[in-house]
Amino acid sequence: MTKKKKKKTHVPFRLNMLFFIVFLLFSALILRLGIVQIVYGDDFKREIERTEDITVNNPVPRGKMFDRNGKVIVDNIPEKAITYTKYQGTSQQDMIEVATLLAKYIDKDDEEVRERDMKDYWILTDEERAKEKITEAEWDQYREKELTDKEIYNLQLKRITEEDLLEVEEDKEILAIFREFNKGYALTPQIVKKGVTDKEFAFVSENLEQLPGVDTTTDWKRDYVFKNTLRTIIGNISEEGLPSEQLDYYLSRGYSRNDRVGSSYIEQQYEDVLHGKKAKIKNITDKAGNVLDTEVISEGERGKDLVLTIDMDLQLAVEKIIEEEMLAAKKDPRTALLDRAFVVLMDPYTGEILTMAGKQIGKDEDGKQVMNDYSRGTFTSSYNVGSAIKGATVLAGFNTGAITPGTRIHDTPVVIANSNPKGSWKQGLGTLNDIDALKVSSNVYMFHTAIRMANGIYRPGQPLPFDSSAFDTMRNYFGQFGLGVRTGIDLPNEMVGFKGMDRSIPGLLMDLSIGQYDTYTPMQLVQYVSAIANGGYRIQPRMVKEIREPVMKNDEIGPVIQEIEPNVLNKIDAEPGWLERVQEGFRRVMQEPNGTAAGKFRGKPYSPAGKTGTAQAQYDGPVKFTGEKPGVMNLSLVGYAPHDNPEIAMAVMVPWAYYNEGPSINNNIGSRVFDTYFELKKKRNEEQADPQGPEHEVENIDEAQEGQEDRITEEALSSE
Amino acid sequence: MERSPKNHDKFDWTLTLILLLCFIISCTAIYSAQTTGQYADNFVLRQVFWYAVGAIIISIVVLFDSEQFWKLSWYLYGFGVFLLVLLVIAPESIAPIRNGAKSWFIIPGLGSIQPSEFVKIFLILALSRAIISHTKKYQTKTIGSDFLLFFKLGIITSIPLGLIMLQPDLGTGLVIVAIFTGLILVSGITWKLIIPIYGTGIVIFSTVFYLVISNPDFLEKYLKVQPYQFRRIYAWLDPHSFQTGDGYHLINSMRAIGSGMLTGKGFNGREVYIPENHTDFIFSVIGEEYGFVGGSLVIGIFFLLIYHLIKTALETTDAYNTYICAGVICMITFHVFQNIGMTIQVLPITGIPLPFISYGGSSLMGNMLAMGLIYSIRFHHKTYMFSNSEL
């Protein structure tokens, strides 16, 4: 016990001091606890009640489309809609509850409900009886993991009887709503019903508290002011969410799965511009998902507007001409197969498409003959165009040295051994130089040019050995004009046309030289004739002139964000003077006696130039024939005016116009189109209309708004 | 088990009652805490098991009297240091790195064990013995002898402290410092030394703290302090700007405790998710479910425990026992203050458990070992019946 010492006197004092320190520290803790729990307790309580921040993206309207003069073509109509947003942790049972309640307030079409949906619903709503569908033995197997969840479920599905399903028959509406709920993705509002009536909207709005996840909102619907005009070019918007084939593309660009995007033509091509910035809204909710507060993170912005190059007045007038001419032509029995016609008008210097009109005769449900819009056929369908392309053939001849400016050739049928003689459209055209060969559309001139290009030596009645690489030479040169290649128009799905594969006989090369072998689209034709008109530049045709800032006012167009510049794709490989000869030939076609289009165009004040085309073709249209398809005539016309200072280039295409012989519907349409264009121009100059395109006013705002209601009712009627 | 009436009187019923309360609180709180589902284990059952182990430890320790501890203290201290050294050199297969610290041994079948929890107790024994030996040797106190004592205690403390900081485990390191500081105070070293030493300590601490807040680059450059240890301080002062790690913990802990308000949300009424709330953040569960009343009650129980320990320290006639009590008081006080303090933004977050309440085998066994010492002091207290409380 030696180590033991009596406690020193300091120890109790120091221990008490230690105890005092402990007391102070613990008091501090209690004080602080009081501050946290009693003084600020309410704040913390409120804070945890609103910890769940949920960001929701609300849709904004897409950009509008205007024509070059500021007429609105595509507008947006607000539409009342009811949405459902699935939050984290929302169970199927919760959703059924909400759907049941919502079904009381709104009418929902239950046509889409399938039997399988009803079975799923039956199982969800009556779990007890669903369990009874499985025998004890099977449950045992399940417990021993011999049956999977999925197998059990499938057994249940199989054993639900017709009578069982009758029980849920009257819940079909709930089921239809529930289906819509399930289509949505977490935290993104899913539209449950569009076109909600005012009454439904009010009912649901009043009862939002009882309907967690449900919201009333404004959805936007496209309004096509000019109805079917250009409808096929404007394109569509995907109905339900992102198109599955491009899911990754859009998701990687920040779209959400249920975003609707442009799925075709202009809507698709200019999706980046047209889609707006979504409004981001942060919902602050409590644990039960009740929204306590809403905070706008970003306002969102409507998509930017497009000013198209289209002149809507001209477009409408041209479409009217096409319709009238087609209907007139259809009275002739020889035009039985005629069902479509196209006109494209382009500014030959800028590539702006003023009009792209296509009409197709179809039948409506009652079998009545109707004119459908087929404007997209101007670049998605191709035809044998005939002699219209001879300008390119002559220039190809110059370029290869096969002929020189002024080369004269006697027009007499070309006879090659073992082939039918090939002549011009009429006998006795005489000896022609290059210009007159164009004027009277001599096939023989082109045949000889082609033979010379292929290094063939023509001896009447003899076989004609030739160099088949001339097919490539000629096609490559045609390609410089846009014939047989993409024109580069700013729309998807452009077609290049078909190229004949057989290169074995010189006759086919000769056909190629007069536009009867390969097929071309009307868009290619207008690019080709523009290149001749503007002195040899291949210009990219385009639909969009400007991109404009979106503005809130309906009757205003916002300031220009971007103006699309003309794009020269290539310059034609030609020496000075060559193009002038072709231009002169084209002028004579329309302005001199005996020109193939002089009948309709001679004496017109606007000094037109151009080239007609008549192709003997085998019918390759939609009507089905057994056996050999009948021979038909494709009519085409390319032109521009005025010939010395062209401002407008035109391509007219009327495939399968008639059997053997018939009216020159191409020239009828072409001359009326030019007349209309120049009349419209004159009228506008007199009215001092602004030729520089839209500035700030929507030209047709009154008509657009007046017509809106009619269009909505019309659509509602047609969809019923 | 037969127990003579004398034994019955010597048995520390107060301490038993306190520990029983702690046991109930611990199990209830852990039961609620594990409903977060962060881990799949049933921690309540395991905590019951550890309490049982703790009871066995106490009954073993009671068999020894303080004379035997006196003899054992250096061996135990040496064993503790050995374990800590082993921890440093052991491969990761038996001493894995968890949460960035190498503080555990894996014992197959038992789980893992944290030697530093026991080293704290061994250190208390060693320091107490050193104080006694020193005062015996230097009967007349001078500044010189007091300084020598301070120096000795410093050496004894710094060896395990250094090893623990190597793991690194700042929390336990601070506990060691607290034990050292408290024993210095109680050992009777003259104020002439304590005031300048503590004063210097406070000045250095304040300077570093100031630098951390206003000029962290300096610290990183010259003192080579790890940046994450600054972050802990920033997160404490401004949790909303450091929401990822500690700040997130602190904000949620404050939300949980704050929203408990006066009386709490009741058993299992927990709403806020806090990771690790069955161990270091157990107080946030208590604060949330039982409010200010419950939280204060827990602090009150600890205060009662400290009061009981102080009483024991004063009643015992053996100075060695007094120092042991003082060491345990410092240890528990620091644990409680640091642990509860960090959940209510009084102190920065450091990972140490709330004694007897937090889930954890090592921590509970270490604390039970300390309680065993107290039981033993009470049990073998020879003058127990005749002494008067000096409080």
Side-chain angles (χ1 to χ4, degrees), chain A residues 553-612:
Chain A
K553 281 195 181 167
N554 252 339
D555 54 353
E556 273 183 24
I557 304 178
V560 177
I561 299 173
Q562 192 192 343
E563 198 161 347
I564 315 286
E565 297 291 325
N567 183 14
V568 176
L569 298 171
N570 60 273
K571 185 170 183 341
I572 309 290
D573 187 9
E575 274 175 30
W578 290 357
L579 273 160
E580 282 75 359
R581 292 192 73 85
V582 175
Q583 288 168 352
E584 175 58 16
F586 277 20
R587 189 191 66 80
R588 289 186 190 176
V589 167
M590 292 198 165
Q591 297 188 18
E592 302 247 307
N594 300 330
T596 52
K600 281 286 172 190
F601 287 96
R602 195 156 176 243
K604 294 285 185 192
Y606 43 79
S607 181
K611 182 76 194 76
T612 55

Side-chain angles (χ1 to χ4, degrees), chain A residues 25 101 148 189 302 306 342 452 492 536:
Chain A
L25 290 177
L101 204 55
T148 61
R302 181 163 71 79
L306 293 181
F342 304 97
R452 290 177 193 183

Side-chain angles (χ1 to χ4, degrees), chain A residues 521-541:
Chain A
T521 66
M523 193 57 67
Q524 289 172 342
L525 288 182
V526 82
Q527 190 174 47
Y528 145 78
V529 77
S530 292
I532 288 172
N534 67 25
Y537 298 92
R538 183 160 83 97
I539 306 279
Q540 179 195 354

Side-chain angles (χ1 to χ4, degrees), chain A residues 4 7 14 32 37 47, chain B residues 185 255 292 314 318 344:
Chain A
K4 303 241 161 137
K7 269 189 281 182
R14 294 272 172 109
R32 175 68 188 168
Q37 296 191 294
E47 208 178 300
Chain B
L185 181 73
R255 277 179 184 159
F292 178 71
L314 289 169
D318 187 341
I344 50 177

Side-chain angles (χ1 to χ4, degrees), chain A residues 1-8 10-19 21-38 40-42 44-49 51 287, chain B residues 67 70 132 139 185-189 191 194 254-255 257-259 261-262 265 271-272 283 287 291-292 295 299 302-303 306-307 310 313-314 316-318 322 333 336-337 341 344-346 390-391:
Chain A
M1 286 294 149
T2 48
K3 70 177 189 336
K4 303 241 161 137
K5 289 199 61 78
K6 277 278 160 203
K7 269 189 281 182
K8 303 234 168 181
H10 69 261
V11 172
F13 174 70
R14 294 272 172 109
L15 273 176
N16 282 328
M17 201 172 148
L18 184 62
F19 186 56
I21 293 170
V22 173
F23 174 75
L24 284 183
L25 290 177
F26 281 24
S27 305
L29 283 184
I30 292 188
L31 184 68
R32 175 68 188 168
L33 204 55
I35 292 171
V36 171
Q37 296 191 294
I38 297 169
Y40 293 111
D42 274 328
F44 283 117
K45 199 174 176 68
R46 225 170 296 132
E47 208 178 300
I48 69 156
E49 273 168 5
T51 44
K287 300 229 144 172
Chain B
E67 199 159 343
W70 169 270
I132 301 289
Q139 298 278 350
L185 181 73
V186 183
S187 71
I189 290 179
W191 290 111
I194 290 179
M254 296 274 282
R255 277 179 184 159
I257 294 173
S259 62
M261 299 177 73
L262 186 63
K265 302 169 186 172
E271 290 178 302
V272 183
F283 190 76
F292 178 71
I299 297 173
F302 280 113
F303 189 70
I306 302 293
Y307 172 74
I310 291 276
L314 289 169
T316 179
T317 49
D318 187 341
T322 309
T333 303
V336 170
F337 186 68
I344 50 177
Q345 213 183 5
V346 173
E390 287 181 45
L391 265 176

